């Protein structure tokens, strides 16, 4: 089924954790042609794109999404049918220290892309589907173009012990990161309501998997353990997140792009709620088996509780039933199998992968 996906796709942030997983999926499992646009900030990593680098259906443009001239030119030259917009500053802790960078990349960057996309879309041929071109890729039309914005469940704020975020949950972002993502979501929807741009918005829960920058909890827990370093855990470790394997997320993104209704929002979640403490304890149980410490003690002794992050949301949990019911998405990874495979991936690749990262 995925093989029939043959659109010309721009992927912004395609050298990041989720963007690169999406690019690997599109090039490996579908017939899509992909242009990655990425500024290569500290979070971008070209190693994550090595697998696809030899493909004639893959190309890369190093550029800032805030650069209007570069974005206009990328649209004009590549002629996409789809843009998957993932480029963003993404780490909540950094957003507390340097909110301006988040407003620039996430809000101004999204507005810049929308501006380029709208001008490009308005100049496309009419609204009827066009016959496929010689390379079997349907040319972009005003009818088949999609601007897909990739966002987070953090825009909905924090839950108590019960309930789930649905697409109708009012926005209540608490951190500069989530507020900047919420602003971008609103801009994308405004471009649909005001100008008719065919947009899609997806709000996903926390992702895990290979190539995640080790400032985020799961790779940080694994790599600190391998270095024998303490793992700081905020507060009492009782904050709950809903974990989703990155490969399940990117399949959902492709499916929404193929079958989603323009103007609609789809929540993506793994139905895998875990406290932060449970997550790191699980990782350390796996590591104790896969790579026992020479002195026989558990890696769990590295867990160190530190003062809580300001404004730390207590619980996120996503109801993905619109996506599962209307579009037929089903995640393939259980948390137990997915986290084990992820720990194994970092064990196998940490030495090579880390050499390219800023310390
Ligand atoms: N990681 C998660 O759990 C999660 C969950 C839900 C939604 N999201 C969203 O998914 C998207 C991708 O997240 P991620 O975890 O892969 O992020 P990441 O930090 O790993 O990667 C972000 C990428 O964007 C690029 N980038 C940043 N600013 C840019 C700019 N101004 N111009 C061009 N490129 C720029 C970086 O170089 C990097 O390659 C983000 O929009 C994020 O908000 C992430």
């Amino acid at each position: 089924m995925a093989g029939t996906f043959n659109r010309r796709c721009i992927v912004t942030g395609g050298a990041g954790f989720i963007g690169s997983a999406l690019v690997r999926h599109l090039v490996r499992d579908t017939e899509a042609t992909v242009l990655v646009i990425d500024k290569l900030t500290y979070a971008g990593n070209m190693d994550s794109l090595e697998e696809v680098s030899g493909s004639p259906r893959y190309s890369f443009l190093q550029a800032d999404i805030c650069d209007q001239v570069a974005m206009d030119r990328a649209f004009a030259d590549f002629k996409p049918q789809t843009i998957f917009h993932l480029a963003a500053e993404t780490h909540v802790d950094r957003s507390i220290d340097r909110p301006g960078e988040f407003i620039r990349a996430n809000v101004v960057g999204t507005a810049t892309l929308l501006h380029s996309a709208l001008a490009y879309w308005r100049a496309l041929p009419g609204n009827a589907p066009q016959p496929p071109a010689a390379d079997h890729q349907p040319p972009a039309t005003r009818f088949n173009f999609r601007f897909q914005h990739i966002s987070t469940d953090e825009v909905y704020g924090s839950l108590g012990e019960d309930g789930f975020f649905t697409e109708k949950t009012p926005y209540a972002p608490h951190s500069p990161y989530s507020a900047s993502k919420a602003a971008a979501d609103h801009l994308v929807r405004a471009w649909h309501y005001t100008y008719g741009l065919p947009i899609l918005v997806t709000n996903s829960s926390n992702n895990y998997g290979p190539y995640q920058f080790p400032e985020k909890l799961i790779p940080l827990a694994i790599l600190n353990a391998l270095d024998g370093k303490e793992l700081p855990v905020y507060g009492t470790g009782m904050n709950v997140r809903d974990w989703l394997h990155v490969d399940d997320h990117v399949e959902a993104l492709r499916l929404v792009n193929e079958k989603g209704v323009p103007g609609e929002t789809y929540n993506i979640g793994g139905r895998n709620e875990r406290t932060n403490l449970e997550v790191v304890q699980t990782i350390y149980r796996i590591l104790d088996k896969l790579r026992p410490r020479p002195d026989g003690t558990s890696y769990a002794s590295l867990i160190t509780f530190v003062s809580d992050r300001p404004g730390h949301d207590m619980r996120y949990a996503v109801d993905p039933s619109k996506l599962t019911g209307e579009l037929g998405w089903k995640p393939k990874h259980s948390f137990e199998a997915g986290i084990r495979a992820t720990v194994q991936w970092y064990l196998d690749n940490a030495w090579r992968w880390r050499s390219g990262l800023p310390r």
Side-chain angles (χ1 to χ4, degrees), residues 160-187:
E161 284 184 11
D162 304 320
F164 297 92
F165 299 134
T166 74
E167 290 79 1
K168 294 193 165 56
T169 304
Y171 274 31
H174 292 147
S175 71
Y177 164 67
S178 55
S180 69
K181 292 297 291 186
D185 295 10
H186 288 314
L187 285 173

PDB file of all heavy atoms in Angstrom, residues 160-187:
ATOM      1  N   GLY A 160      -5.213  15.970  34.260  1.00  0.00           N
ATOM      2  CA  GLY A 160      -5.186  15.386  35.589  1.00  0.00           C
ATOM      3  C   GLY A 160      -5.021  13.873  35.455  1.00  0.00           C
ATOM      4  O   GLY A 160      -4.504  13.391  34.450  1.00  0.00           O
ATOM      5  N   GLU A 161      -5.518  13.145  36.458  1.00  0.00           N
ATOM      6  CA  GLU A 161      -5.312  11.700  36.422  1.00  0.00           C
ATOM      7  C   GLU A 161      -6.120  11.010  35.332  1.00  0.00           C
ATOM      8  O   GLU A 161      -5.758   9.943  34.849  1.00  0.00           O
ATOM      9  CB  GLU A 161      -5.674  11.095  37.784  1.00  0.00           C
ATOM     10  CG  GLU A 161      -4.582  11.375  38.799  1.00  0.00           C
ATOM     11  CD  GLU A 161      -4.837  10.723  40.133  1.00  0.00           C
ATOM     12  OE1 GLU A 161      -5.758   9.889  40.217  1.00  0.00           O
ATOM     13  OE2 GLU A 161      -4.125  11.070  41.078  1.00  0.00           O
ATOM     14  N   ASP A 162      -7.259  11.639  34.934  1.00  0.00           N
ATOM     15  CA  ASP A 162      -8.137  11.004  33.945  1.00  0.00           C
ATOM     16  C   ASP A 162      -8.176  11.810  32.658  1.00  0.00           C
ATOM     17  O   ASP A 162      -7.756  12.949  32.618  1.00  0.00           O
ATOM     18  CB  ASP A 162      -9.590  10.931  34.462  1.00  0.00           C
ATOM     19  CG  ASP A 162      -9.661  10.224  35.787  1.00  0.00           C
ATOM     20  OD1 ASP A 162      -8.942   9.227  35.935  1.00  0.00           O
ATOM     21  OD2 ASP A 162     -10.406  10.703  36.671  1.00  0.00           O
ATOM     22  N   GLY A 163      -8.772  11.170  31.646  1.00  0.00           N
ATOM     23  CA  GLY A 163      -9.083  11.880  30.409  1.00  0.00           C
ATOM     24  C   GLY A 163      -7.966  11.827  29.389  1.00  0.00           C
ATOM     25  O   GLY A 163      -6.842  11.384  29.685  1.00  0.00           O
ATOM     26  N   PHE A 164      -8.308  12.267  28.178  1.00  0.00           N
ATOM     27  CA  PHE A 164      -7.373  12.235  27.054  1.00  0.00           C
ATOM     28  C   PHE A 164      -7.508  13.518  26.251  1.00  0.00           C
ATOM     29  O   PHE A 164      -8.571  14.128  26.235  1.00  0.00           O
ATOM     30  CB  PHE A 164      -7.708  11.054  26.123  1.00  0.00           C
ATOM     31  CG  PHE A 164      -7.559   9.717  26.786  1.00  0.00           C
ATOM     32  CD1 PHE A 164      -8.649   9.119  27.404  1.00  0.00           C
ATOM     33  CD2 PHE A 164      -6.333   9.079  26.809  1.00  0.00           C
ATOM     34  CE1 PHE A 164      -8.512   7.897  28.035  1.00  0.00           C
ATOM     35  CE2 PHE A 164      -6.196   7.857  27.449  1.00  0.00           C
ATOM     36  CZ  PHE A 164      -7.278   7.265  28.061  1.00  0.00           C
ATOM     37  N   PHE A 165      -6.441  13.888  25.543  1.00  0.00           N
ATOM     38  CA  PHE A 165      -6.536  14.981  24.577  1.00  0.00           C
ATOM     39  C   PHE A 165      -7.232  14.466  23.328  1.00  0.00           C
ATOM     40  O   PHE A 165      -6.844  13.428  22.781  1.00  0.00           O
ATOM     41  CB  PHE A 165      -5.143  15.465  24.151  1.00  0.00           C
ATOM     42  CG  PHE A 165      -4.282  16.017  25.253  1.00  0.00           C
ATOM     43  CD1 PHE A 165      -2.949  15.635  25.368  1.00  0.00           C
ATOM     44  CD2 PHE A 165      -4.783  16.958  26.146  1.00  0.00           C
ATOM     45  CE1 PHE A 165      -2.134  16.164  26.351  1.00  0.00           C
ATOM     46  CE2 PHE A 165      -3.970  17.496  27.143  1.00  0.00           C
ATOM     47  CZ  PHE A 165      -2.645  17.090  27.242  1.00  0.00           C
ATOM     48  N   THR A 166      -8.266  15.194  22.889  1.00  0.00           N
ATOM     49  CA  THR A 166      -8.858  14.913  21.577  1.00  0.00           C
ATOM     50  C   THR A 166      -8.606  16.133  20.695  1.00  0.00           C
ATOM     51  O   THR A 166      -8.102  17.157  21.171  1.00  0.00           O
ATOM     52  CB  THR A 166     -10.382  14.677  21.668  1.00  0.00           C
ATOM     53  OG1 THR A 166     -11.021  15.943  21.876  1.00  0.00           O
ATOM     54  CG2 THR A 166     -10.746  13.723  22.801  1.00  0.00           C
ATOM     55  N   GLU A 167      -9.015  16.012  19.449  1.00  0.00           N
ATOM     56  CA  GLU A 167      -8.831  17.127  18.512  1.00  0.00           C
ATOM     57  C   GLU A 167      -9.650  18.341  18.945  1.00  0.00           C
ATOM     58  O   GLU A 167      -9.418  19.452  18.461  1.00  0.00           O
ATOM     59  CB  GLU A 167      -9.217  16.705  17.091  1.00  0.00           C
ATOM     60  CG  GLU A 167      -8.261  15.711  16.425  1.00  0.00           C
ATOM     61  CD  GLU A 167      -8.454  14.273  16.878  1.00  0.00           C
ATOM     62  OE1 GLU A 167      -9.345  14.006  17.711  1.00  0.00           O
ATOM     63  OE2 GLU A 167      -7.683  13.413  16.402  1.00  0.00           O
ATOM     64  N   LYS A 168     -10.606  18.141  19.829  1.00  0.00           N
ATOM     65  CA  LYS A 168     -11.461  19.259  20.266  1.00  0.00           C
ATOM     66  C   LYS A 168     -10.985  19.879  21.590  1.00  0.00           C
ATOM     67  O   LYS A 168     -11.567  20.857  22.063  1.00  0.00           O
ATOM     68  CB  LYS A 168     -12.905  18.767  20.433  1.00  0.00           C
ATOM     69  CG  LYS A 168     -13.534  18.355  19.119  1.00  0.00           C
ATOM     70  CD  LYS A 168     -15.037  18.185  19.271  1.00  0.00           C
ATOM     71  CE  LYS A 168     -15.757  18.129  17.949  1.00  0.00           C
ATOM     72  NZ  LYS A 168     -15.306  17.112  17.013  1.00  0.00           N
ATOM     73  N   THR A 169      -9.961  19.320  22.196  1.00  0.00           N
ATOM     74  CA  THR A 169      -9.460  19.875  23.462  1.00  0.00           C
ATOM     75  C   THR A 169      -8.957  21.307  23.226  1.00  0.00           C
ATOM     76  O   THR A 169      -8.169  21.534  22.297  1.00  0.00           O
ATOM     77  CB  THR A 169      -8.299  19.005  24.008  1.00  0.00           C
ATOM     78  OG1 THR A 169      -8.760  17.663  24.140  1.00  0.00           O
ATOM     79  CG2 THR A 169      -7.797  19.515  25.342  1.00  0.00           C
ATOM     80  N   PRO A 170      -9.398  22.256  24.048  1.00  0.00           N
ATOM     81  CA  PRO A 170      -8.900  23.637  23.866  1.00  0.00           C
ATOM     82  C   PRO A 170      -7.389  23.722  24.103  1.00  0.00           C
ATOM     83  O   PRO A 170      -6.849  22.990  24.931  1.00  0.00           O
ATOM     84  CB  PRO A 170      -9.650  24.434  24.936  1.00  0.00           C
ATOM     85  CG  PRO A 170     -10.745  23.560  25.430  1.00  0.00           C
ATOM     86  CD  PRO A 170     -10.353  22.138  25.159  1.00  0.00           C
ATOM     87  N   TYR A 171      -6.752  24.634  23.386  1.00  0.00           N
ATOM     88  CA  TYR A 171      -5.305  24.812  23.541  1.00  0.00           C
ATOM     89  C   TYR A 171      -5.011  25.499  24.879  1.00  0.00           C
ATOM     90  O   TYR A 171      -5.698  26.454  25.253  1.00  0.00           O
ATOM     91  CB  TYR A 171      -4.750  25.663  22.397  1.00  0.00           C
ATOM     92  CG  TYR A 171      -4.397  24.869  21.156  1.00  0.00           C
ATOM     93  CD1 TYR A 171      -5.095  23.727  20.814  1.00  0.00           C
ATOM     94  CD2 TYR A 171      -3.343  25.251  20.333  1.00  0.00           C
ATOM     95  CE1 TYR A 171      -4.769  22.986  19.682  1.00  0.00           C
ATOM     96  CE2 TYR A 171      -3.006  24.529  19.198  1.00  0.00           C
ATOM     97  CZ  TYR A 171      -3.725  23.393  18.884  1.00  0.00           C
ATOM     98  OH  TYR A 171      -3.397  22.668  17.775  1.00  0.00           O
ATOM     99  N   ALA A 172      -3.967  25.022  25.574  1.00  0.00           N
ATOM    100  CA  ALA A 172      -3.542  25.651  26.835  1.00  0.00           C
ATOM    101  C   ALA A 172      -2.044  25.393  27.042  1.00  0.00           C
ATOM    102  O   ALA A 172      -1.650  24.757  28.021  1.00  0.00           O
ATOM    103  CB  ALA A 172      -4.347  25.087  28.012  1.00  0.00           C
ATOM    104  N   PRO A 173      -1.207  25.880  26.095  1.00  0.00           N
ATOM    105  CA  PRO A 173       0.228  25.570  26.207  1.00  0.00           C
ATOM    106  C   PRO A 173       0.858  26.257  27.409  1.00  0.00           C
ATOM    107  O   PRO A 173       0.467  27.367  27.748  1.00  0.00           O
ATOM    108  CB  PRO A 173       0.797  26.122  24.897  1.00  0.00           C
ATOM    109  CG  PRO A 173      -0.141  27.206  24.491  1.00  0.00           C
ATOM    110  CD  PRO A 173      -1.506  26.773  24.957  1.00  0.00           C
ATOM    111  N   HIS A 174       1.845  25.599  28.014  1.00  0.00           N
ATOM    112  CA  HIS A 174       2.450  26.142  29.236  1.00  0.00           C
ATOM    113  C   HIS A 174       3.913  26.548  29.090  1.00  0.00           C
ATOM    114  O   HIS A 174       4.379  27.393  29.840  1.00  0.00           O
ATOM    115  CB  HIS A 174       2.335  25.103  30.372  1.00  0.00           C
ATOM    116  CG  HIS A 174       0.925  24.894  30.815  1.00  0.00           C
ATOM    117  ND1 HIS A 174       0.444  23.697  31.262  1.00  0.00           N
ATOM    118  CD2 HIS A 174      -0.121  25.748  30.851  1.00  0.00           C
ATOM    119  CE1 HIS A 174      -0.834  23.807  31.573  1.00  0.00           C
ATOM    120  NE2 HIS A 174      -1.203  25.034  31.327  1.00  0.00           N
ATOM    121  N   SER A 175       4.651  25.912  28.184  1.00  0.00           N
ATOM    122  CA  SER A 175       6.074  26.254  28.059  1.00  0.00           C
ATOM    123  C   SER A 175       6.263  27.131  26.818  1.00  0.00           C
ATOM    124  O   SER A 175       5.416  27.133  25.912  1.00  0.00           O
ATOM    125  CB  SER A 175       6.905  24.977  27.892  1.00  0.00           C
ATOM    126  OG  SER A 175       6.680  24.408  26.608  1.00  0.00           O
ATOM    127  N   PRO A 176       7.385  27.863  26.758  1.00  0.00           N
ATOM    128  CA  PRO A 176       7.648  28.619  25.525  1.00  0.00           C
ATOM    129  C   PRO A 176       7.657  27.706  24.292  1.00  0.00           C
ATOM    130  O   PRO A 176       7.187  28.094  23.215  1.00  0.00           O
ATOM    131  CB  PRO A 176       9.022  29.245  25.786  1.00  0.00           C
ATOM    132  CG  PRO A 176       9.084  29.373  27.283  1.00  0.00           C
ATOM    133  CD  PRO A 176       8.365  28.160  27.820  1.00  0.00           C
ATOM    134  N   TYR A 177       8.166  26.471  24.437  1.00  0.00           N
ATOM    135  CA  TYR A 177       8.130  25.532  23.296  1.00  0.00           C
ATOM    136  C   TYR A 177       6.702  25.267  22.853  1.00  0.00           C
ATOM    137  O   TYR A 177       6.346  25.453  21.679  1.00  0.00           O
ATOM    138  CB  TYR A 177       8.828  24.213  23.678  1.00  0.00           C
ATOM    139  CG  TYR A 177       8.504  23.081  22.715  1.00  0.00           C
ATOM    140  CD1 TYR A 177       8.940  23.115  21.387  1.00  0.00           C
ATOM    141  CD2 TYR A 177       7.735  21.979  23.128  1.00  0.00           C
ATOM    142  CE1 TYR A 177       8.624  22.082  20.497  1.00  0.00           C
ATOM    143  CE2 TYR A 177       7.423  20.948  22.244  1.00  0.00           C
ATOM    144  CZ  TYR A 177       7.859  21.009  20.932  1.00  0.00           C
ATOM    145  OH  TYR A 177       7.544  19.996  20.059  1.00  0.00           O
ATOM    146  N   SER A 178       5.852  24.829  23.799  1.00  0.00           N
ATOM    147  CA  SER A 178       4.494  24.447  23.386  1.00  0.00           C
ATOM    148  C   SER A 178       3.692  25.662  22.925  1.00  0.00           C
ATOM    149  O   SER A 178       2.863  25.559  22.011  1.00  0.00           O
ATOM    150  CB  SER A 178       3.773  23.690  24.499  1.00  0.00           C
ATOM    151  OG  SER A 178       3.751  24.423  25.697  1.00  0.00           O
ATOM    152  N   ALA A 179       3.981  26.838  23.517  1.00  0.00           N
ATOM    153  CA  ALA A 179       3.278  28.047  23.067  1.00  0.00           C
ATOM    154  C   ALA A 179       3.683  28.399  21.637  1.00  0.00           C
ATOM    155  O   ALA A 179       2.852  28.825  20.825  1.00  0.00           O
ATOM    156  CB  ALA A 179       3.572  29.209  24.014  1.00  0.00           C
ATOM    157  N   SER A 180       4.973  28.205  21.315  1.00  0.00           N
ATOM    158  CA  SER A 180       5.411  28.522  19.948  1.00  0.00           C
ATOM    159  C   SER A 180       4.814  27.529  18.955  1.00  0.00           C
ATOM    160  O   SER A 180       4.451  27.890  17.836  1.00  0.00           O
ATOM    161  CB  SER A 180       6.945  28.553  19.852  1.00  0.00           C
ATOM    162  OG  SER A 180       7.484  27.255  20.001  1.00  0.00           O
ATOM    163  N   LYS A 181       4.674  26.272  19.354  1.00  0.00           N
ATOM    164  CA  LYS A 181       4.041  25.275  18.466  1.00  0.00           C
ATOM    165  C   LYS A 181       2.551  25.596  18.311  1.00  0.00           C
ATOM    166  O   LYS A 181       1.993  25.473  17.223  1.00  0.00           O
ATOM    167  CB  LYS A 181       4.225  23.853  19.019  1.00  0.00           C
ATOM    168  CG  LYS A 181       5.646  23.338  19.001  1.00  0.00           C
ATOM    169  CD  LYS A 181       6.244  23.210  17.610  1.00  0.00           C
ATOM    170  CE  LYS A 181       5.617  22.130  16.781  1.00  0.00           C
ATOM    171  NZ  LYS A 181       6.339  21.950  15.480  1.00  0.00           N
ATOM    172  N   ALA A 182       1.909  25.997  19.405  1.00  0.00           N
ATOM    173  CA  ALA A 182       0.484  26.337  19.330  1.00  0.00           C
ATOM    174  C   ALA A 182       0.285  27.519  18.381  1.00  0.00           C
ATOM    175  O   ALA A 182      -0.642  27.520  17.553  1.00  0.00           O
ATOM    176  CB  ALA A 182      -0.047  26.676  20.726  1.00  0.00           C
ATOM    177  N   ALA A 183       1.165  28.525  18.481  1.00  0.00           N
ATOM    178  CA  ALA A 183       1.060  29.683  17.589  1.00  0.00           C
ATOM    179  C   ALA A 183       1.171  29.234  16.136  1.00  0.00           C
ATOM    180  O   ALA A 183       0.406  29.676  15.265  1.00  0.00           O
ATOM    181  CB  ALA A 183       2.152  30.701  17.931  1.00  0.00           C
ATOM    182  N   ALA A 184       2.121  28.339  15.882  1.00  0.00           N
ATOM    183  CA  ALA A 184       2.300  27.845  14.505  1.00  0.00           C
ATOM    184  C   ALA A 184       1.057  27.082  14.039  1.00  0.00           C
ATOM    185  O   ALA A 184       0.597  27.262  12.904  1.00  0.00           O
ATOM    186  CB  ALA A 184       3.544  26.950  14.437  1.00  0.00           C
ATOM    187  N   ASP A 185       0.483  26.254  14.911  1.00  0.00           N
ATOM    188  CA  ASP A 185      -0.740  25.513  14.534  1.00  0.00           C
ATOM    189  C   ASP A 185      -1.841  26.492  14.126  1.00  0.00           C
ATOM    190  O   ASP A 185      -2.543  26.291  13.129  1.00  0.00           O
ATOM    191  CB  ASP A 185      -1.277  24.682  15.713  1.00  0.00           C
ATOM    192  CG  ASP A 185      -0.348  23.571  16.164  1.00  0.00           C
ATOM    193  OD1 ASP A 185       0.816  23.528  15.703  1.00  0.00           O
ATOM    194  OD2 ASP A 185      -0.779  22.741  16.997  1.00  0.00           O
ATOM    195  N   HIS A 186      -1.993  27.573  14.915  1.00  0.00           N
ATOM    196  CA  HIS A 186      -3.047  28.543  14.617  1.00  0.00           C
ATOM    197  C   HIS A 186      -2.783  29.253  13.284  1.00  0.00           C
ATOM    198  O   HIS A 186      -3.712  29.502  12.510  1.00  0.00           O
ATOM    199  CB  HIS A 186      -3.145  29.584  15.741  1.00  0.00           C
ATOM    200  CG  HIS A 186      -3.730  29.030  17.014  1.00  0.00           C
ATOM    201  ND1 HIS A 186      -4.863  28.251  17.040  1.00  0.00           N
ATOM    202  CD2 HIS A 186      -3.345  29.142  18.299  1.00  0.00           C
ATOM    203  CE1 HIS A 186      -5.138  27.916  18.289  1.00  0.00           C
ATOM    204  NE2 HIS A 186      -4.234  28.437  19.075  1.00  0.00           N
ATOM    205  N   LEU A 187      -1.510  29.571  13.023  1.00  0.00           N
ATOM    206  CA  LEU A 187      -1.192  30.216  11.746  1.00  0.00           C
ATOM    207  C   LEU A 187      -1.559  29.298  10.580  1.00  0.00           C
ATOM    208  O   LEU A 187      -2.168  29.729   9.599  1.00  0.00           O
ATOM    209  CB  LEU A 187       0.313  30.541  11.678  1.00  0.00           C
ATOM    210  CG  LEU A 187       0.787  31.723  12.507  1.00  0.00           C
ATOM    211  CD1 LEU A 187       2.313  31.814  12.487  1.00  0.00           C
ATOM    212  CD2 LEU A 187       0.183  33.028  11.988  1.00  0.00           C
TER     213      LEU A 187
END
